[in-house]
Amino acid sequence: MRIEAQNITRIFGSTRAVDAASFTIDRPMMIGIIGSSGAGKSTLLRMLNRLTDASDGQLLVDGRDVLALRGGEKRSWQSDCAMIFQQFNLVGRLDVVSNVLHGLLNKRGTLSTLFNIWSRADIDRAIAILDRLGIAEQATKRAEALSGGQQQRVAIARALMQDPKIILADEPIASLDPMNAQVVMDTLRAIHDEDGRTVICNLHTLDTARRYCDRVIGMRKGRIVFDGTPEQLTTGVARDIYGAGVDFSETATSTAIGGDTGGDREYAEQMLTD
Amino acid sequence: MAMAEINQAVHAGFSRKRAFSLAVPAAVLAYLIYVAIAFDLAGLAARARWDNGALLLQDFWSYKTHVTR
Amino acid sequence: MTDIAQISADYRGIAGRKRLYSFLLWGIFAALMISGLRLANDRNAGGFWDGLPQIFAFPSELIGEAIEKAGALPGHMLSYLPALIETLNIAAVATLIGVIGGGFMALLATPGLAPWPRLVPLFRRMLDIARAIPELVIALVFIFVLGGGPVPATLAIAFHAIGALGKLFSEVAENASPKPVEGLESVGANWIQRMWFGVLQQVGPNWISYAMLRFEINIRASAILGFVGAGGIGYALRNAISWGQGRYDAAAAIFILLFLTIVTFDQLSSMARERLVRGNAGGRI
Ligand SMILES: Nc1ncnc2c1ncn2[C@@H]1O[C@H](COP(=O)(O)OP(=O)(O)OP(=O)(O)O)[C@@H](O)[C@H]1O
Ligand SMILES: [Mg+2]
């Protein structure tokens, strides 16, 4: 599958949240997007999934511009392009298996889904996916009763249920503790390695991007300012991406963890590097 | 818990859910049918005085009052 | 969260509405009784006003007669049961229509959830109008067109209930978390699926709670509308009183029946709501 982004732009009022972003993905890979807060990472990902409309540009997937799709065709693209969120975005009051089955909502009839009519095969597949992610034990619990890391794995299970070509993840580990963060990132990497799916992941720590991704895209003020391998991502390049001065330190690249959790972050870096 | 047990628990849960989500609309529908019979909905159309309705509507248009209640 | 204050204010508003309807119901009941007594008095002897001092004799007369005919009360109550059931059916169907119609309208009128964001003000306006017209006015129009009976009363109460519930439902839905809805949108779920799984799961307990309060109000409204000829127990009472003397025992039976019904349903409903709230610690009221 060939994915070609051409000058994708999103303008909110007077701010160009994403400014003419172009890149090409010609084979399945794991891509990390980095950049400081407000750089436009979330907006870019949301446009790819069509949660946010683009102001301009094209996203050619095997030659078809998915940014121009409307109605049912748009939803059909969304079902092929799974999204994982920082806050999991599950239906907390429903049980875990139901949440995983929601990955099929677009592919099954509206009426049967409303009446909870799922085939035995679908339910079995949902359980198998949960088992693969190591949370089958939680299958009958309410999603909101699970820990953050478990909920994020349910969200990944929902994404896998979609059997998507691409998985987008918007800061999937930003609200998780270091141990769960590692489990989730390992899972995403495994999904890429084993299933050959493309994974695009917004990340807020350079280390994570370097460690897990085949390719890193750096954004600054809506523009793509870096696109290369992790090896090419030197401290100097990172300084440019984050627009920091000479006092720039890599541990300051977090956008989600506030000041007094510095200890946590160090621990996270330790966990992720050893 | 073994996988077989989990599997069984999930399937049992879904059978329950499905039965419930079919039973509720069915009960509502049955109730509405009962009420339609109790209220004699079928006979209502015959009893309705549409001329009265037309008269009432005319009152909205003209100042001449037909309806005095 | 400010919505808690908002919603508890709504709650007090509904409780006030319920009291008003109770007051109206028993007030009209008393007025009918007195006019009935007066009618009987006129026929029996002298004028009502001449015998005004005797007014204090009426209650004793009433009670005396009721005791005298106490044996007949259960029989009367039994014979008015169908009328009572009709009153309850009117209230229940109207509430059902109100919940379904109000639920749809609420989702169409809630920014962030509405499928046609530009039409939100239009749907809000429609809800305002439905809420602003009192049941009695709508009922009189419907009775005029459809004749007496339960259907016009049901339609009238349902119309008003759509407006009242729609506004409350919309306020609850506005405070629902958008995250589940967004998650569902990202998998390509359509609007109905997003509302069903993403919104109704969240607002369900609150909506049901409001619907039950509305049912309590609607029972009163249904009984009141009976007095103007819309069927049910109110209609039975009017007939019992206005057809002359000696039917206070029937009126007493109706009074007891209606009173017990209202108390029973209020109790059941408040118990159910209590359970909903407790099983829903995050969801409040
Ligand atoms: N719905 C919106 N309305 C108006 N402006 C928006 C909206 N969404 C994003 N923006 C603006 O677009 C810019 C990019 O935001 P975006 O959320 O994409 O950044 P980000 O890189 O994901 O940042 P973070 O790391 O903090 O999540 C910001 O200036 C933001 O204020
Ligand atoms: Mg973001």
Side-chain angles (χ1 to χ4, degrees), chain A residues 12 15 17-18 35-44 170-171 202 255:
Chain A
F12 289 115
T15 50
V18 174
S36 56
S37 185
K41 308 182 294 292
S42 299
T43 308
L44 178 61
D170 190 6
E171 311 222 15
N202 282 352
T255 56

Side-chain angles (χ1 to χ4, degrees), chain A residues 28-29 165 190-198:
Chain A
M29 54 173 103
K165 295 173 182 143
I191 288 168
H192 164 69
D193 288 340
E194 292 163 20
D195 304 1
R197 299 181 211 276
T198 293

Side-chain angles (χ1 to χ4, degrees), chain A residues 10-13 15-18 33-46 52 86 170-171 202-204 219 221-222 253-256:
Chain A
R10 172 69 212 214
I11 301 168
F12 289 115
T15 50
R16 298 177 86 84
V18 174
I33 301 181
I34 57 169
S36 56
S37 185
K41 308 182 294 292
S42 299
T43 308
L44 178 61
L45 240 53
R46 292 171 64 88
T52 300
Q86 180 179 342
D170 190 6
E171 311 222 15
N202 282 352
L203 293 167
H204 64 277
M219 291 186 72
K221 292 181 182 162
T253 57
S254 165
T255 56

Side-chain angles (χ1 to χ4, degrees), chain C residues 9-31:
Chain C
D10 283 343
Y11 232 66
R12 280 195 299 280
I14 302 175
R17 171 61 58 122
K18 206 172 92 183
R19 269 197 303 279
L20 172 70
Y21 275 49
S22 298
F23 178 79
L24 269 176
L25 177 61
W26 302 128
I28 296 173
F29 203 110

